[in-house]
Amino acid sequence: MTETLKIVIVGNGFGGIYTLKNLHKFFHNDQRIELTLVGEKNYFLFTPLLHEVATGGINPANIIEPIRSVLGCCLHKFYLGKAEIINSKNHTVKVGNDLVSYDYLVLAGGAETNFYDTAGAEKYCLTLKSIDDAVKIKNHCIAQMERASHTEDRNERKKILNFVVVGGGPTGVELVAELEELVRETFSHYYAKEVIEDVSITLIQRGTELVSQFGPKARAKSLETLKKKGIEVMLNTAVKEVGASYVIANENTKILTETVIWVAGIKPAEMKFEESVSMSPDGRLNVNEFLQLENQKENFAIGDMAFFKQENAPLPALAQVAEKESATVAKNIYNLINNKNPEKFVYKNSGNLMSLGQWKAVGQIANFTFTGHVAWFIWRTVYLSKLISFRKKVRVAVDWTLNLFFPRDISQL
Ligand SMILES: Cc1cc2nc3c(=O)[nH]c(=O)nc-3n(C[C@H](O)[C@H](O)[C@H](O)COP(=O)(O)OP(=O)(O)OC[C@H]3O[C@@H](n4cnc5c(N)ncnc54)[C@H](O)[C@@H]3O)c2cc1C
């Protein structure tokens, strides 16, 4: 009988799930191979639609897929828990009380929020990395609105209704655009006009422009659209401190608010290694052209926790990067098992899309930028197609269709 080869994947996000799907294509029904997944949640989360859950546009259950329903047929074992320690000498991963052994390992733990040691930020800010975060944001906005609705003091009411988002990347821009539709449009169906008039939304961006990863036309369109929506955009502004009811920006600009959502940066998910591993200055795992850890050809890293340089720049933290890397990693594991040479990874950007609220979006493919209804329609079609199961695609399509005719659901969850 031939020996079984164990392939273990840590992380059940874009990188992990797509690695498993790609390995399945190579090894379906192959009795030599055992595929194991380790994940902190029992579901895959479709992060690009999190901002719509946070603002009541999509039901939270509709952007998650249970691992078992995604990968039923080829998954040998699933460990629900955190991979705590990687031992690349003994080829083991410690998950709670279990020691999971492997022949090939794929690390795809993603990233977590980076507050860059900003005073008070971790304590007082809301974040947007998980379903729980998104639900917390929605519940918080509704609670603020309820309290404001019976607050007589206008200054106090303005503070309660000032919603601040820190971070002018695509997540921050998409979030403020949708937030505006929740707190101004949807809430206007249920709350008094004078209360809605006191709503303000501020987007704080440290850099000179929004969405620096997009071209000039897309950047200008984003800024113009947010301004038209009445969102205050503060560029060149660094948050120095966050408190329970304020933000200090730059040296001494004090913004009164009880809602600060921090989407200003990420850092790789924490993982401990028994042996030393090579890391980039920002803590990501350095990988070679085959996506292997340096000097460890059985260990691969992909997605937000991997540092892969192309044309002298590290690849951005994007779902499409993780997804494309997963195809190369699966191919390389297949090649190594079959005594073939691994293939080099080359990233080809398929284009970027960003929603700017109902009927508005920007898209960019190579040097071509498109905006407005066309971009919005393409954005929705692409993201709908990317949801994994048909069932969830239908549910999100239904949520979106209902939102065209009715106000969003403002029940707290
Ligand atoms: C709000 C938001 C919107 C986004 N929008 C877009 C977009 O529109 N387009 C785009 O391309 N990208 C988008 N991204 C970025 C995209 O989500 C990431 O780049 C992508 O998910 C990276 O894939 P990954 O596999 O590295 O990490 P993830 O998808 O984050 O998956 C990592 C998984 O590993 C798990 N994990 C972490 N540590 C451990 C451990 N020790 N043990 C076990 N499991 C562990 C985590 O719980 C998580 O499930 C967005 C991100 C966010 C937060």
Side-chain angles (χ1 to χ4, degrees), residues 168-170 172-174 176-177 203 209-229 231 233 353-356 360-364 369-371:
V173 168
E174 287 189 321
V176 282
L203 177 62
E209 284 188 281
L210 297 176
V211 289
S212 54
Q213 45 279 80
F214 280 78
K217 204 171 157 194
R219 295 202 289 261
K221 187 71 192 173
S222 314
L223 184 61
E224 181 199 313
T225 307
L226 297 190
K227 284 189 168 168
K228 269 193 194 154
K229 278 172 162 283
I231 295 165
V233 180
L353 288 160
M354 181 175 57
S355 76
L356 295 168
K360 297 174 200 80
V362 291
Q364 192 177 290
T369 303
F370 44 103
T371 60

Side-chain angles (χ1 to χ4, degrees), residues 162-287:
N162 189 11
F163 299 90
V164 175
V165 173
V166 183
T171 303
V173 168
E174 287 189 321
L175 179 63
V176 282
E178 289 290 333
L179 196 60
E180 191 271 338
E181 297 190 4
L182 173 72
V183 298
R184 286 221 181 94
E185 285 184 28
T186 299
F187 284 168
S188 69
H189 290 268
Y190 305 101
Y191 298 91
K193 195 166 162 269
E194 61 270 23
V195 176
I196 300 295
E197 276 169 6
D198 286 341
V199 165
S200 54
I201 303 166
T202 309
L203 177 62
I204 301 180
Q205 159 74 331
R206 184 200 285 264
T208 51
E209 284 188 281
L210 297 176
V211 289
S212 54
Q213 45 279 80
F214 280 78
K217 204 171 157 194
R219 295 202 289 261
K221 187 71 192 173
S222 314
L223 184 61
E224 181 199 313
T225 307
L226 297 190
K227 284 189 168 168
K228 269 193 194 154
K229 278 172 162 283
I231 295 165
E232 190 185 347
V233 180
M234 297 173 73
L235 297 171
N236 280 318
T237 307
V239 170
K240 298 288 178 193
E241 187 185 332
V242 183
S245 57
Y246 66 87
V247 169
I248 308 275
N250 286 340
E251 290 324 311
N252 48 18
T253 307
K254 193 169 191 178
I255 302 164
L256 297 180
T257 175
E258 295 177 355
T259 309
V260 187
I261 308 173
W262 187 278
V263 286
I266 54 168
K267 58 181 177 188
E270 241 179 36
M271 239 173 246
K272 285 192 189 132
F273 294 86
E274 290 282 8
E275 284 75 37
S276 69
V277 283
S278 165
M279 288 187 189
S280 64
D282 64 358
R284 283 184 278 171
L285 297 168
N286 283 325
V287 291

